[in-house]
């Protein structure tokens, strides 16, 4: 182990000054989280690149934990043949480790460690992480939703992620209660819109591969244009609320959120133009050139 130390701050006791080793560990943990968003999501990765440097790292750390949990319930664990009981245990352990790391500021899991750094910097508390893990746990067993369980699921799986990112966006900014409520509502609506769009474009895959039907009362076998239009309009309503807060965000996050808003609004428009019968077996996406155009629009402050 290296004995080299960071330059010491005389105002801080030597015992509390970070070593080069801990700084290196923090950096490697955050680099790991950053790699996850680049490899897993072109859309979110593109939007994240428009964030201010400090904010970008915090958002990437949040995404890293979210993706890690998602892989337990939907990805690598299931494909490896891990039993449902073991998947639940792994998810429980991840939640326990996350909360412990948020308290102590350290984890042997690099992704959790990176998230804990962000949680401690931005004030993310278990009141946001617990609903998230609750929704992830729901995916292990529930295959259909009631209106109430759907709202709870969307809150935990997506809206709280928007609220975590909002914590990163607003660090050091004083808000009135009214301003805070406006931002919270917008962040929740944007998270909800993202999740609903993903459910809608993955309609067939969720049923066929995962055996899940997220939208209450929707039967893919009888999915109609009216069903699709109702869902598209609900998403548009969410995006209208979230779009209103984008110009109010700090400059360090405004363009990135504008791009995310634009990307999902475009995806929803493409879903609206896709016949319901085709949507049942086609995954709609936004072409790369269109993403570039939307990114340029976001850079100029335009919301589509």
């Amino acid at each position: 182990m290296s004995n080299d130390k960071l330059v010491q701050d005389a105002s801080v006791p030597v015992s509390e000054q970070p070593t080069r080793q801990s700084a290196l560990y923090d950096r490697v943990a955050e680099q790991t989280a950053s790699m996850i968003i680049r490899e897993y999501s072109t859309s979110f990765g593109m939007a994240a690149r428009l964030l201010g440097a400090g904010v970008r790292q915090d958002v990437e750390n949040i995404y890293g934990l979210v993706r890690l949990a998602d892989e337990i319930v939907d990805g690598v664990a299931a494909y490896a043949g891990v039993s449902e009981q073991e998947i639940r245990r792994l998810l429980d352990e991840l939640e326990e480790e996350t909360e412990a790391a948020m308290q102590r500021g350290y984890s042997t899991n690099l992704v959790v460690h990176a998230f804990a750094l962000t949680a401690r910097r931005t004030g993310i508390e278990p009141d946001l992480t617990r609903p998230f893990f609750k929704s992830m746990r729901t995916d292990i067993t529930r295959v259909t939703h009631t209106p109430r369980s759907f709202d709870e699921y969307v809150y935990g799986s997506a809206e709280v992620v928007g609220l975590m990112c909002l914590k990163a966006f607003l660090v050091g900014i004083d808000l009135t209660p009214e301003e805070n409520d406006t931002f919270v509502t917008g962040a929740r609506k944007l998270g909800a819109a993202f999740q609903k769009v993903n459910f809608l474009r993955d309609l067939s895959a969720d049923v066929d591969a995962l055996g899940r039907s997220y939208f209450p009362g929707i039967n893919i076998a009888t999915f109609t244009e009216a069903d699709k239009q109702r869902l598209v309009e609900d998403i548009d309503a969410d995006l209208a609320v979230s779009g209103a807060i984008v110009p109010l965000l700090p400059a360090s996050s405004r363009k990135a959120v504008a791009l995310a808003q634009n990307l999902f609004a475009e995806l929803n428009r493409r879903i609206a133009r896709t016949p319901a019968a085709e949507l049942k077996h086609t995954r709609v996406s936004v072409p790369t050139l269109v993403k570039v155009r939307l990114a340029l629009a976001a850079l100029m402050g335009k919301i589509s």
Side-chain angles (χ1 to χ4, degrees):
M1 180 180 295
S2 171
N3 290 322
D4 292 340
K5 307 293 184 186
L6 292 173
V7 176
Q8 294 184 350
D9 183 343
S11 66
V12 180
V14 172
S15 62
E16 296 181 11
Q17 291 173 359
T19 64
R20 290 187 183 276
Q21 196 73 12
S22 64
L24 174 62
Y25 190 82
D26 290 351
R27 186 167 68 252
V28 171
E30 294 192 319
Q31 287 172 347
T32 301
S34 297
M35 180 176 64
I36 290 173
I37 195 171
R38 288 196 300 269
E39 293 294 329
Y40 273 90
S41 176
T42 55
S43 295
F44 282 118
M46 179 183 291
R49 285 194 287 273
L50 298 185
L51 290 165
V55 178
R56 179 170 66 248
Q57 188 61 66
D58 283 328
V59 169
E60 290 176 349
N61 292 351
I62 292 166
Y63 182 91
L65 179 70
V66 169
R67 176 53 63 177
L68 185 63
D70 192 61
E71 285 301 313
I72 292 176
V73 296
D74 283 346
V76 178
Y79 291 130
V82 178
S83 70
E84 182 180 297
Q85 181 179 2
E86 183 71 359
I87 286 174
R88 180 178 292 275
R89 185 185 69 79
L90 289 170
L91 192 62
D92 289 346
E93 288 178 353
L94 179 61
E95 180 177 16
E96 291 168 6
E97 178 62 16
T98 298
E99 286 203 23
M102 290 164 69
Q103 287 293 320
R104 67 184 173 227
Y106 171 76
S107 176
T108 57
N109 182 315
L110 288 171
V111 176
V112 173
H113 184 81
F115 177 82
L117 293 175
T118 286
R120 290 161 69 89
R121 276 195 296 260
T122 64
I124 294 172
E125 298 285 349
D127 65 326
L128 295 181
T129 57
R130 287 173 185 171
F132 169 72
F133 281 103
K134 181 181 178 181
S135 285
M136 292 299 98
R137 219 170 271 114
T138 298
D139 272 339
I140 300 173
T141 55
R142 182 179 283 276
V143 295
T144 60
H145 280 277
T146 64
R148 179 176 178 177
S149 71
F150 178 78
D151 289 343
E152 290 176 350
Y153 180 86
V154 171
Y155 175 73
S157 65
E159 293 180 30
V160 297
V161 178
L163 294 175
M164 291 181 205
C165 292
L166 184 65
K167 290 276 192 182
F169 298 160
L170 300 179
V171 168
I173 297 176
D174 293 326
L175 299 173
T176 67
E178 293 77 14
E179 289 170 334
N180 184 69
D181 288 347
T182 297
F183 279 124
V184 165
T185 299
R188 289 184 59 178
K189 290 295 186 180
L190 188 56
F194 288 176
Q195 188 67 292
K196 292 171 188 176
V197 168
N198 285 330
F199 288 161
L200 191 48
R201 74 168 176 174
D202 292 336
L203 201 62
S204 178
D206 285 335
V207 173
D208 294 341
L210 302 175
R212 299 190 198 124
S213 178
Y214 285 102
F215 291 114
I218 295 296
N219 183 343
I220 190 171
T222 58
F223 187 63
T224 66
E225 281 295 321
D227 291 330
K228 184 196 72 175
Q229 187 61 29
R230 176 169 58 82
L231 297 175
V232 165
E233 289 175 357
D234 180 54
I235 293 166
D236 280 339
D238 286 341
L239 289 170
V241 176
S242 62
I245 73 163
V246 176
L248 308 177
L249 287 167
S252 58
S253 58
R254 191 182 309 134
K255 293 174 182 178
V257 178
L259 175 54
Q261 171 92 16
N262 291 350
L263 284 169
F264 278 84
E266 175 65 22
L267 186 54
N268 200 41
R269 286 191 291 269
R270 288 174 178 267
I271 289 172
R273 296 195 298 267
T274 303
E278 184 178 341
L279 195 62
K280 292 193 291 185
H281 57 78
T282 300
R283 189 176 192 269
V284 178
S285 62
V286 178
T288 299
L289 286 178
V290 176
K291 289 181 179 180
V292 171
R293 174 175 61 77
L294 294 173
L296 292 175
L299 286 170
M300 294 185 288
K302 296 181 180 178
I303 300 174
S304 62

